[in-house]
Amino acid sequence: MATEAKLLQAGVGGEWLVQVLGSVGFNKQRGWYQDGKARVESISVASVNITGEQPEVRLNVCLDASKISLRYLATHKPVPVGPGTTGRSKVQAKLAYAPPVGHSKKMWFLIDQQDAGTC
């Protein structure tokens, strides 16, 4: 199960952390879980800002999430989803270089992800 501590340790923060925790809570309330893995099909640098205390990189990423499915915890059977979910999408990921809370050593955190159309 994804917890805030585990997500922070994995480099998730900011608005993206809020979104992930919200999705986990939503699924948990309904007795669902997410199964499978997403795959990065392509990645390119959109912008780099290395000035200031918290350097930031924005990446354009084409994701294939077609192997991810929602399943019922009780039966492990798939949850029916509506049409129009192909699993492929283009997003812009925002990463920041900062220390985790309570530590001094910096690491890259995925802090936001915005939809950017289709691949």
Side-chain angles (χ1 to χ4, degrees), residues 11 48-58 94-100 104-111:
V48 177
N49 180 357
I50 58 171
T51 60
E53 287 185 38
Q54 198 172 65
E56 177 185 297
V57 173
R58 291 180 185 261
K94 181 178 174 184
L95 292 91
Y97 193 62
S104 59
K105 186 177 179 181
K106 292 183 178 184
M107 62 185 273
W108 286 102
F109 282 90
L110 175 60
I111 61 171

Side-chain angles (χ1 to χ4, degrees), residues 6-118:
K6 287 179 183 178
L7 291 167
L8 285 169
Q9 188 178 31
V12 176
E15 183 59 31
W16 185 238
L17 177 64
V18 174
Q19 291 176 24
V20 170
L21 289 173
S23 291
V24 168
F26 181 86
N27 290 343
K28 186 176 178 182
Q29 288 174 350
R30 284 153 183 78
W32 302 345
Y33 68 96
Q34 202 171 44
D35 187 35
K37 294 181 182 180
R39 194 180 94 171
V40 174
E41 292 189 334
S42 66
I43 190 167
S44 64
V45 176
S47 67
V48 177
N49 180 357
I50 58 171
T51 60
E53 287 185 38
Q54 198 172 65
E56 177 185 297
V57 173
R58 291 180 185 261
L59 303 171
N60 292 322
V61 183
C62 183
L63 296 174
D64 180 359
S66 63
K67 303 290 188 224
I68 295 177
S69 64
L70 282 176
R71 297 190 172 272
Y72 292 105
L73 277 169
T75 64
H76 304 289
K77 291 183 179 180
V79 174
V81 290
T85 53
T86 63
R88 288 185 49 134
S89 62
K90 184 176 180 182
V91 297
Q92 187 169 94
K94 181 178 174 184
L95 292 91
Y97 193 62
V101 175
H103 299 279
S104 59
K105 186 177 179 181
K106 292 183 178 184
M107 62 185 273
W108 286 102
F109 282 90
L110 175 60
I111 61 171
D112 199 10
Q113 175 180 302
Q114 300 293 322
D115 290 332
T118 57

